[in-house]
């Protein structure tokens, strides 16, 4: 069992995380650090946990006793933890007494997304970065929901050097979540990652945000110049995602009800005309770029099957 802790366990991101972790077969939740709520039941802060495993918040934090640590609050301690663990790995020091495996850290704070490499973090999007995550990485950073869905949707195009010029992406977010993420910063991150995937790409990504009436899901729409037949574009996507468990390709308008409460990203490919490719994708923005992404990364970092603890169906009907 993986001894697991959450720093900032009273945050909304931690609530989503706990709801999934209580049913993860390989996880033992041992530390839920939220000092102002010491001794309180987790269900008093996070809904949906009444009757589940009895868990309480604590004011005691000891990373040395953990196998996995999720960072859900950005503060000086967060930065210190990352710096200390990075130095330990660089010096090749032995594991502390009582720890069977190196500490794995997953950062959900967004604090280090711009300098994740300098902080010793891997970019935690398995569709484009799975090999580093399963080959010895110890720390990873969770991208924003916008970056996650956009990069998964555009990665096959970039790998085949088909991106040209600037991109405009339209995001539709739940009304209650539209102010949580900085779309400009997300677009900068998307541009940076696309340029790493396709070194010849010199364009910029711009984004616009609309408020939708969906409860949890994010919709992304973009159009790019593309003269390939739809069958050929589909083959490009299938060749990359045929061994991935959460990304699916369709050719009709995707319904957000298909992804709510899941780690799925559903990508619709259509050709409005012979020279244009329309990409429309949906994902749950509390899972993709959030709790689901974090658990997906934990599974890969710890040698588990990527679907462990994430075999959930849509919660919408």
């Amino acid at each position: 069992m993986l001894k697991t802790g959450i720093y900032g366990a009273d945050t909304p991101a931690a609530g989503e995380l706990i709801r999934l972790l209580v049913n993860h077969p390989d996880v033992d939740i041992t530390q839920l650090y939220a000092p102002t709520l010491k001794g309180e039941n987790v269900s008093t802060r996070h809904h949906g946990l009444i009757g589940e495993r009895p868990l309480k918040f604590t004011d005691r934090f000891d990373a040395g006793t953990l196998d996995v640590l999720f960072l859900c609050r950005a503060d000086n301690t967060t930065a210190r933890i990352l710096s200390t663990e990075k130095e330990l790995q660089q010096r090749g020091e032995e594991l502390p007494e009582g720890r069977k495996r190196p500490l794995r850290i997953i950062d959900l704070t967004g604090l280090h997304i711009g300098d994740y490499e300098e902080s010793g973090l891997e970019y935690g999007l398995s569709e484009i970065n799975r090999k580093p995550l399963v080959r010895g990485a110890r720390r990873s950073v969770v991208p924003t929901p916008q970056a996650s869905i956009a990069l998964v949707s555009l990665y096959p195009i970039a790998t085949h050097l088909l991106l040209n010029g600037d991109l405009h992406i339209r995001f539709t977010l739940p009304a209650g979540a539209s102010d949580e993420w900085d779309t400009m910063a997300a677009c900068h991150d998307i541009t940076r990652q696309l340029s790493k995937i396709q070194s010849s790409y010199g364009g910029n990504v711009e984004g616009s945000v609309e408020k939708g009436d969906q409860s949890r899901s994010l919709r992304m729409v973009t159009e790019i110049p593309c003269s390939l037949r739809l069958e050929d574009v589909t083959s490009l996507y299938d060749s990359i995602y045929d061994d991935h468990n959460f990304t699916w390709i369709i050719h009709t308008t995707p319904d957000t009800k298909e992804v709510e409460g899941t780690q799925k990203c559903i990508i619709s490919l259509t050709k409005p005309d012979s020279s244009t490719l329309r990409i429309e994708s949906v994902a749950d923005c509390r899972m993709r770029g959030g709790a689901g992404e974090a658990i997906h990364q934990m599974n890969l970092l710890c040698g588990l099957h990527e679907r462990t603890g994430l075999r959930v169906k849509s919660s919408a009907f």
Side-chain angles (χ1 to χ4, degrees), residues 30-255:
T30 62
Q31 292 183 44
L32 294 175
Y33 182 76
T36 61
L37 299 176
K38 173 190 175 183
E40 292 190 23
N41 290 321
V42 171
S43 59
T44 62
R45 175 58 61 98
H46 302 307
H47 298 301
L49 291 169
I50 295 175
E52 300 296 333
R53 190 185 312 175
L55 296 169
K56 295 182 182 293
F57 294 111
T58 180
D59 64 346
R60 301 183 67 180
F61 177 72
D62 182 5
T65 65
L66 299 174
D67 297 311
V68 180
L69 172 62
F70 295 96
L71 301 176
C72 293
R73 173 169 286 115
D75 58 20
N76 292 334
T77 300
T78 302
R80 187 168 64 252
I81 292 168
L82 288 171
S83 176
T84 299
E85 290 296 323
K86 179 183 177 182
E87 290 176 5
L88 285 174
Q89 183 176 8
Q90 289 175 338
R91 293 201 302 262
E93 293 193 4
E94 296 182 1
L95 297 178
E97 184 178 354
R99 190 192 287 179
K100 296 180 180 179
R101 56 179 67 86
L103 177 64
R104 302 306 201 251
I105 300 176
I106 297 100
D107 182 7
L108 293 92
T109 66
L111 181 66
H112 302 95
I113 195 70
D115 65 346
Y116 64 92
E117 292 168 317
E118 290 80 1
S119 299
L121 298 163
E122 291 289 347
Y123 195 80
L125 193 57
S126 75
E127 282 84 356
I128 68 173
N129 212 24
R130 185 160 62 179
K131 286 183 179 179
L133 291 172
V134 300
R135 294 181 178 177
R138 297 187 186 179
R139 294 168 297 280
S140 59
V141 61
V142 176
T144 64
Q146 296 105 311
S148 177
I149 188 173
L151 289 168
V152 170
S153 300
L154 293 167
Y155 178 60
I157 297 297
T159 58
H160 288 85
L161 311 181
L162 295 174
L163 287 177
N164 293 289
D166 295 338
L167 283 173
H168 180 76
I169 301 176
R170 301 193 303 277
F171 296 105
T172 304
L173 287 166
S178 58
D179 297 325
E180 289 188 37
W181 299 289
D182 185 336
T183 299
M184 183 178 296
C187 287
H188 178 75
D189 185 28
I190 296 166
T191 301
R192 180 185 179 190
Q193 296 302 322
L194 290 177
S195 298
K196 292 177 67 175
I197 298 163
Q198 179 181 328
S199 59
S200 62
Y201 181 63
N204 291 308
V205 176
E206 298 178 348
S208 59
V209 176
E210 299 174 357
K211 295 181 179 181
D213 57 3
Q214 69 274 25
S215 61
R216 295 174 58 103
S217 299
L218 164 66
R219 184 181 298 273
M220 183 217 84
V221 180
T222 190
E223 294 185 352
I224 65 171
C226 180
S227 59
L228 293 177
R229 297 181 307 158
L230 183 59
E231 295 85 349
D232 296 329
V233 176
T234 302
S235 294
L236 298 182
Y237 277 75
D238 287 341
S239 66
I240 289 176
Y241 291 141
D242 64 348
D243 65 340
H244 287 261
N245 286 276
F246 299 110
T247 301
W248 305 96
I249 312 302
I250 63 174
H251 300 296
T252 56
T253 301
D255 192 330

